[in-house]
């Protein structure tokens, strides 16, 4: 029986999700998981029975094992660079939660934080949802003229029971704002079409939301063979997350909220699934990548940094 070793740097909500999915994957494959957690306060209780999945918890990297199969960087974005230095050379493969760095750190060079040849993947969960998988399968035959993207939702509805004015999304000094919060859109566009040749971005705070971060960000981008327009906001009533591709045979509409893909003839293909399914596919990919011979991931830090600059309008 194989034993997989993993270290989690930070174990908040997203780290907890990844730990549970990793434990389930190991169970399905008949492996043993030995997971440690490096936390600022190991005495602080963990929720959802996660503590039972851990082998050890500690606050000092000197208490960690010298080497792990997998290391997950799942602490706050502003601390990613420090975390990478802390675990330097200790992991066969790194899983770095998105974004790679904070908005103020785009001048950093990932090569300064990773050993030469280090396997590393930056989280990109929307690439792994059922609708996106269907779009990618069809894309080689579509030859789109342009793409229209929207992600619109109402920030106060994001976390029921929590004052939206207190969360990081609402506070510019914590790295909040719709421009960087909704980096998923530029991540999947970069996955589908690459990095655009030219980009225009307008953003700001225009609604009555009591926040000091930007609540709308709009982009026009030019690729060699198509144009793309992207709309991101915090104030739309009703959740809309869609990609529309205008092609020679008509338009294809991917509705990520509904889990459907509408074809030019009106046919609706259904890919409804629990949201965790995309994270499970992502974990399957990451573990296979970590243990396999491929050296470069589908979303390496260098590309993730370009995508961060894209969403910030810094191309």
């Amino acid at each position: 029986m194989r034993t997989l070793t993993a270290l989690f740097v930070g174990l908040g909500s997203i780290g907890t999700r990844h730990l549970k999915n990793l434990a389930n994957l190991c169970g399905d494959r008949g492996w043993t998981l030995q997971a440690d957690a490096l936390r600022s306060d190991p005495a602080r209780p963990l929720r959802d029975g996660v503590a039972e999945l851990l082998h050890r918890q500690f606050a000092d990297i000197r208490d960690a094992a010298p080497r792990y199969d997998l290391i997950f960087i799942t602490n706050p974005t502003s601390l990613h660079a420090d975390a990478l230095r802390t675990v330097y050379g200790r992991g066969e493969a790194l899983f770095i939660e998105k974004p790679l760095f904070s908005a103020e750190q785009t001048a950093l060079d990932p090569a300064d934080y990773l050993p030469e040849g280090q396997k590393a993947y930056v989280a990109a969960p929307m690439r792994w949802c059922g609708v996106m998988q269907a779009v990618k399968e069809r894309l080689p035959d579509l030859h789109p003229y342009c793409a229209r993207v929207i992600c619109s939702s109402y920030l106060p509805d994001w976390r029921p029971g929590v004052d939206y004015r207190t969360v990081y999304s609402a506070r510019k000094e914590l790295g909040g704002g719709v421009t960087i919060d909704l980096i998923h859109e530029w991540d999947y566009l970069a996955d589908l079409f690459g990095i655009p040749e030219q980009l225009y971005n307008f953003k700001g705070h225009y609604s009555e939301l009591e926040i000091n971060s930007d609540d709308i960000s709009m982009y026009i981008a030019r690729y060699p063979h198509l144009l793309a327009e992207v709309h991101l906001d915090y104030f739309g009533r009703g959740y809309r997350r869609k990609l529309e591709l205008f092609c020679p045979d008509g338009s294809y509409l991917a509705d990520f909220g509904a889990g459907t893909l509408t074809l030019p003839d009106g046919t609706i293909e259904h890919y409804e699934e629990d949201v965790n399914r995309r994270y499970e596919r992502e974990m399957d990919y990451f573990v296979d990548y970590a243990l396999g011979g491929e050296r470069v991931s589908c979303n390496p830090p260098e590309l993730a940094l370009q995508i961060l600059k894209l969403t910030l309008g810094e191309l």
Side-chain angles (χ1 to χ4, degrees):
M1 178 183 294
R2 178 163 199 159
T3 297
L4 195 67
T5 59
L7 173 65
F8 284 78
V9 181
L11 209 54
S13 59
I14 191 62
T16 295
R17 181 189 291 273
H18 292 320
L19 175 56
K20 287 183 172 182
N21 286 338
L22 179 61
N24 289 336
L25 180 150
C26 288
D28 291 343
R29 297 190 182 188
W31 298 349
T32 298
L33 174 63
Q34 184 172 299
D36 294 345
L38 177 63
R39 305 176 63 209
S40 58
D41 182 9
R44 189 172 69 250
L46 293 167
R47 50 189 179 174
D48 302 330
V50 171
E52 300 173 4
L53 300 177
L54 293 172
H55 175 240
R56 292 184 301 156
Q57 300 184 56
F58 38 79
D60 193 324
I61 191 62
R62 290 174 294 184
D63 295 325
R67 188 80 174 172
Y68 291 89
D69 295 317
L70 317 172
I71 294 181
F72 292 80
I73 307 298
T74 50
N75 58 349
T77 301
S78 61
L79 301 178
H80 283 184
D82 290 340
L84 290 171
R85 287 202 185 280
T86 298
V87 303
Y88 190 94
R90 288 179 175 266
E92 176 63 29
L94 304 180
F95 183 111
I96 307 168
E97 193 49 52
K98 61 181 190 326
L100 175 65
F101 297 133
S102 67
E104 296 74 31
Q105 297 173 319
T106 55
L108 298 181
D109 184 348
D112 294 336
Y113 296 83
L114 303 169
E116 185 176 355
Q118 173 70 64
K119 286 189 171 186
Y121 166 79
V122 180
M126 279 198 68
R127 298 187 187 190
W128 304 98
C129 73
V131 179
M132 185 58 70
Q133 298 279 295
V135 170
K136 291 177 71 172
E137 185 176 344
R138 289 179 173 273
L139 189 60
D141 298 322
L142 297 187
H143 310 293
Y145 305 130
C146 67
R148 183 165 60 190
V149 171
I150 184 169
C151 186
S152 173
S153 60
Y154 191 49
L155 182 61
D157 291 341
W158 280 27
R159 302 169 180 86
V162 176
D163 186 345
Y164 77 90
R165 294 167 293 190
T166 66
V167 302
Y168 84 92
S169 299
R171 300 170 63 184
K172 184 177 181 179
E173 66 274 15
L174 296 182
V178 74
T179 297
I180 194 168
D181 219 358
L182 300 181
I183 194 172
H184 296 280
E185 272 52 46
W186 272 112
D187 175 79
Y188 77 66
L189 279 175
D191 185 39
L192 293 175
F193 303 118
I195 303 298
E197 296 178 327
Q198 194 172 12
L199 179 80
Y200 295 96
N201 174 225
F202 298 94
K203 54 180 175 273
H205 179 201
Y206 290 85
S207 76
E208 283 69 46
L209 290 173
E210 296 177 47
I211 64 178
N212 66 14
S213 60
D214 50 285
D215 58 14
I216 184 169
S217 196
M218 302 179 69
Y219 309 78
I220 295 292
R222 181 169 60 85
Y223 289 88
H225 303 294
L226 78 154
L227 295 178
E229 52 185 305
V230 179
H231 171 113
L232 312 174
D233 76 61
Y234 275 157
F235 47 70
R237 302 303 178 97
Y239 178 67
R240 283 181 291 168
R241 195 166 216 165
K242 300 177 181 180
L243 163 67
E244 190 168 12
L245 299 176
F246 295 84
C247 305
D249 62 337
S251 63
Y252 293 76
L253 178 62
D255 187 328
F256 301 109
T260 59
L261 176 62
T262 302
L263 308 183
D265 65 1
T267 300
I268 300 176
E269 297 182 349
H270 293 268
Y271 301 94
E272 296 92 336
E273 59 189 10
D274 184 89
V275 70
N276 193 52
R277 187 69 190 96
R278 68 188 63 174
Y279 294 97
E280 291 174 337
R281 291 191 188 101
E282 183 176 49
M283 187 60 67
D284 279 335
Y285 163 78
F286 175 65
V287 170
D288 288 342
Y289 159 67
L291 302 181
E294 189 70 29
R295 298 306 304 177
V296 179
S297 73
C298 65
N299 196 28
E302 297 78 11
L303 175 59
L305 181 59
Q306 285 185 285
I307 293 169
L308 173 60
K309 290 179 179 180
L310 269 181
T311 198
L312 292 172
E314 296 179 4
L315 179 66

